[in-house]
Amino acid sequence: MSIQALNKTHLDAMMAIEVAANQFPWSYKNMESCFSGRYFNFGFFIADELAGFYIGEVAGPDITLMDICVDHKLQGQGVGAKLMTHLLAQAEAKGAENIFLEVRASNKAAIHLYDKMGFCEMGIRKNYYPTAEGNEDAVLMGLPFNPFAKHM
């Protein structure tokens, strides 16, 4: 098991995990666009197989978790927590002041993980995510990380 930086050669594996785990997955084009300068992408590998990943974005002195996804067969086994721990280490290395994320209000398992990692609810984005019945709210969460850091 290891966490490694991802590149565009991993896109197909990332998309396979994304599509299997989400009713409304990112598009290939959206995921591909996250391999430019302000994004950083890491994957959790078991042997040589991608088991989960995250996409982070540097925005000024802050980091935004754009996407985190774990192979549906491995959810609930600590992969997400390992990826989040790695994200926090990356934020520290980059001198981030805050980390932000949005999560579906119905995704109680993810909200519980983020709570355990120290994130707190900062607001609600009404009708943000599509659903089969219309839309659902996003919970905006944040973690004040390093308020005395120099800007990245």
Side-chain angles (χ1 to χ4, degrees), residues 39-100:
Y39 295 97
F40 57 101
N41 311 289
F42 283 89
F44 183 86
F45 289 84
I46 298 175
D48 289 331
E49 190 168 331
L50 185 65
F53 65 89
Y54 74 81
I55 298 170
E57 179 185 21
V58 176
D62 301 321
I63 299 242
T64 300
L65 176 62
M66 300 299 294
D67 192 12
I68 184 168
C69 197
V70 174
D71 184 317
H72 69 282
K73 297 177 298 247
L74 298 170
Q75 290 179 359
Q77 297 181 31
V79 175
K82 287 180 174 75
L83 287 166
M84 287 299 297
T85 298
H86 189 272
L87 172 68
L88 295 178
Q90 287 296 304
E92 181 176 11
K94 294 177 184 304
E97 293 179 12
N98 301 286
I99 305 173
F100 298 106

Side-chain angles (χ1 to χ4, degrees), residues 74-142:
L74 298 170
Q75 290 179 359
Q77 297 181 31
V79 175
K82 287 180 174 75
L83 287 166
M84 287 299 297
T85 298
H86 189 272
L87 172 68
L88 295 178
Q90 287 296 304
E92 181 176 11
K94 294 177 184 304
E97 293 179 12
N98 301 286
I99 305 173
F100 298 106
L101 62 87
E102 292 156 346
V103 59
R104 287 179 180 271
S106 64
N107 192 343
K108 301 302 182 196
I111 292 170
H112 178 70
L113 172 61
Y114 302 143
D115 282 339
K116 281 187 1 183
M117 302 299 293
F119 286 79
C120 58
E121 184 177 322
M122 301 180 72
I124 300 291
R125 294 181 194 247
K126 293 287 186 190
N127 300 316
Y128 188 78
Y129 288 110
T131 69
E133 297 80 35
N135 291 300
E136 80 170 290
D137 296 343
V139 178
L140 176 62
M141 300 184 81

